[in-house]
Amino acid sequence: TASALGVSASGQVGVTGTARGGTGGAGYTGAAGGKGASVTLSNAVSGSTSGALFLDQNAYGGHGGSSDTGSAGAAGNASSSLSVNITNGASTLNVGVIATGGNGGDTTSGTAKVGGNGTTSLSASGVGNLTTTSTATGGQGGTGGNSSSNAASGATGGSASAGNSGATTGSHTANVTSNAYGGGGGYGFGAGQSGGAGGNGTATAAGTSNAGQVAVSSTVYGGAGGYGYSGATGGKGGNATLTDAVSGATTGTLYLTQSANGGTGGHSETNAAGAGGNANSSSSQVNSVANNLIGTVGAYGGSGGTAASGTGGAGGSAVASQTLSSSRAGTPVTSNVTAQGGAGGSGANGGAAQATSTITAAQQSHASANAQGGSGGVSGSALATASATITQAGGTASATATAG
């Protein structure tokens, strides 16, 4: 555990609290590996100043211990949660939380273990300019085996979940970001075995200001599939899914951005490589307060794994959609949607892509949709649809759709 406090009347204050779990012990001649320690930090940092205040809280799970022929040790999970409420002072508030799961234990010919989970939760409010970042990362799956005679599969990467909510007052700005990274799959060795699948992730973010610019972003990356050696197949890339993952409120400019990225499939030396992870990102927003509304949604399928002398992995699919609506007179509304299918590995087929962008606004609207199928032995299909509608006379509307 850890805790830290910093105080100044008016100077800049930076406070950091970090805790790391210990690594489990190794098991030999059939003994199991020890479990990595899990770490939980909750409201472990605080500070006070009328100047700039920086708060960072970081938790790292311990790694699982290895085992030669038995069961490897489980990874430690990591959780970092922080709630900050500054009602006076702190002209600038910058807060960050990190949680990274430990790596799963490796094995020579026994059972590798899944990567630990990373979970973050951040809630921050202030009276000045505000920047908050919440980052969660799953641990790496354990490696299985080390040769064709010592064969075992790699384990799945850990999952990641990031949440973030930030609020400020007056015309001050708010920048609120959540990032989640699924853990990579472990390497696998030997015929009949495989690399571990990449871990999945999820993220949410919300930001508010009375009248200042607000930018809210959520991004998810599926973990990469583990490599397959000595006849093992490659692991599948982790999927990435975001549904209404961002929200915000202000009478000023509001930026809403979310991006889902499928993990890369694992390479294989002589067998089938792993497929790329699929990506799905969708958002539906009704906002009649902001004087300028810009929404950006992206989905990017993971690339398929390559193969030295086997079969490449197919590219992951990508589906992105956004619906934006505002009834506020004079507010320009912009929707940008991109879907990119993953490339096929070593001649495998590319992933399909579909992008849909829809706007309803009082007087000004522009919708764009761009879909690109992944390259490969056969390129992935692409479909793009854009629609812009105005509800009051004298306005302008435009829509652009591109598919390739």
Side-chain angles (χ1 to χ4, degrees):
T1 186
S3 62
L5 166 68
V7 177
S8 173
S10 59
Q12 177 175 301
V13 171
V15 183
T16 301
T18 301
R20 298 179 184 273
T23 298
Y28 296 100
T29 60
K35 184 183 186 301
S38 294
V39 173
T40 298
L41 287 180
S42 178
N43 297 326
V45 293
S46 58
S48 176
T49 181
S50 61
L53 177 60
F54 295 82
L55 301 174
D56 292 283
Q57 179 177 286
N58 311 314
Y60 300 90
H63 304 318
S66 63
S67 175
D68 51 6
T69 59
S71 180
N77 299 319
S79 174
S80 182
S81 61
L82 180 61
S83 179
V84 179
N85 183 17
I86 305 297
T87 57
N88 53 57
S91 59
T92 299
L93 180 60
N94 192 314
V95 186
V97 293
I98 291 174
T100 301
N103 296 338
D106 302 331
T107 186
T108 303
S109 60
T111 303
K113 285 301 177 70
V114 174
N117 301 327
T119 304
T120 54
S121 176
L122 175 58
S123 175
S125 61
V127 294
N129 292 331
L130 175 73
T131 300
T132 62
T133 305
S134 180
T135 303
T137 305
Q140 181 85 14
T143 292
N146 59 21
S147 66
S148 58
S149 58
N150 290 321
S153 291
T156 302
S159 64
S161 176
N164 192 355
S165 175
T168 189
T169 61
S171 59
H172 296 109
T173 60
N175 295 285
V176 181
T177 302
S178 284
N179 300 309
Y181 302 86
Y187 294 175
F189 286 80
Q193 310 298 326
S194 66
N200 301 325
T202 184
T204 60
T208 64
S209 174
N210 294 121
Q213 177 177 293
V214 172
V216 184
S217 174
S218 286
T219 304
V220 168
Y221 294 88
Y227 282 23
Y229 293 103
S230 304
T233 59
K236 185 183 185 302
N239 296 326
T241 300
L242 290 175
T243 303
D244 294 333
V246 291
S247 62
T250 180
T251 59
T253 298
L254 177 61
Y255 293 92
L256 301 173
T257 304
Q258 66 179 55
S259 176
N261 303 266
T264 301
H267 169 85
S268 178
E269 284 185 320
T270 58
N271 209 320
N278 300 322
N280 192 311
S281 183
S282 63
S283 177
S284 180
Q285 303 284 340
V286 177
N287 186 297
S288 299
V289 178
N291 66 15
N292 190 11
L293 178 60
I294 302 101
T296 302
V297 169
Y300 305 88
S303 298
T306 58
S309 61
T311 305
S317 64
V319 179
S321 65
Q322 179 168 229
T323 300
L324 286 180
S325 177
S326 174
S327 61
R328 186 180 185 276
T331 292
V333 181
T334 304
S335 171
N336 301 308
V337 177
T338 301
Q340 173 68 63
S346 300
N349 294 344
Q354 181 175 335
T356 305
S357 182
T358 305
I359 291 178
T360 301
Q363 291 177 310
Q364 300 179 59
S365 64
H366 175 68
S368 68
N370 184 7
Q372 297 293 322
S375 61
V378 176
S379 296
S381 62
L383 175 64
T385 305
S387 172
T389 303
I390 57 171
T391 59
Q392 296 181 6
T396 58
S398 64
T400 303
T402 304

